[in-house]
Amino acid sequence: MAKLKAGLIATGFMPKDMDPFEALEKLAAMGYKGYEVVMMAQGRDMATGKAKYTEAEALKKIREVGMEPLTAFMMAGKDGEYDVGAIAEQAHRLGVDRATCMVSNAAQYRFGRLDEPLGYDEAMKQVESLEKAAAGLKKEGVKVAFHNHDYEFVKCYKGVPYYYLMAA
């Protein structure tokens, strides 16, 4: 039986006062080899979202602890669209062939970024936008992944959980 290759997104599980790279070093010592690059490889402090490291510095630190990035970061802009060129460029810089949609617009309500949940039409626009981005990224040799949260399983549109609409 082949070993399962697993990565980790640790932003929600790290102690708030611990340096993210210290936490990653501990996880690497436990055998983790991959890190789902979210804000760190973008050069952002995970707690504040503000720039703390350049992308090159963050990537170097991730690799120094024995991990490799698994994916580039992608999230729709305020207009609901994805910047395919920038996402593909980041994936190529990081040496990965995958970009992950980290927070759907539907889940942004759960995290307090929206005052009310998306309506059906808005949710369907995001599904279409993600499909359009996936087609554009495929041309760039980048696959799209979706990092789900509990809300995508709970929020339903016409009786169908949002997660299933995203995955269809």
Side-chain angles (χ1 to χ4, degrees), residues 59-60 95 138 142:
L59 189 56
K60 182 178 181 222
K138 184 176 182 179
V142 179

Side-chain angles (χ1 to χ4, degrees), residues 120-142:
Y120 177 79
D121 290 338
E122 292 89 4
M124 292 302 95
K125 283 180 187 174
Q126 186 184 12
V127 170
E128 291 168 6
S129 178
L130 187 58
E131 288 173 350
K132 179 180 162 186
L137 287 166
K138 184 176 182 179
K139 292 176 185 174
E140 298 289 335
V142 179

Side-chain angles (χ1 to χ4, degrees), residues 4-75:
L4 174 66
K5 291 184 179 179
L8 176 72
I9 176 169
T11 55
F13 306 102
M14 290 185 197
K16 299 274 185 231
D17 58 347
M18 182 182 283
D19 178 77
F21 295 107
E22 180 185 346
L24 287 180
E25 191 169 19
K26 289 180 180 191
L27 293 166
M30 292 178 354
Y32 285 96
K33 300 289 183 206
Y35 181 70
E36 184 179 36
V37 176
V38 182
M39 296 171 85
M40 281 175 46
Q42 282 189 285
R44 304 252 172 221
D45 179 280
M46 293 186 303
T48 66
K50 296 185 183 202
K52 185 173 182 179
Y53 303 101
T54 67
E55 181 181 87
E57 289 169 331
L59 189 56
K60 182 178 181 222
K61 286 177 173 278
I62 289 169
R63 289 184 169 141
E64 282 174 354
V65 300
M67 290 196 177
E68 285 293 323
L70 300 176
T71 180
F73 175 83
M74 65 184 289
M75 186 163 33

Side-chain angles (χ1 to χ4, degrees), residues 138-157:
K138 184 176 182 179
K139 292 176 185 174
E140 298 289 335
V142 179
K143 300 173 197 136
V144 170
F146 182 72
H147 176 103
N148 61 281
H149 299 90
D150 59 337
Y151 191 77
E152 282 104 357
F153 291 98
V154 174
K155 178 64 179 165
C156 293
Y157 294 96

Side-chain angles (χ1 to χ4, degrees), residues 72-73 82-93 133 136-137 140 142:
F73 175 83
Y82 295 88
D83 186 341
V84 171
I87 296 164
E89 186 178 303
Q90 182 190 48
H92 297 308
R93 271 195 324 271
L137 287 166
E140 298 289 335
V142 179

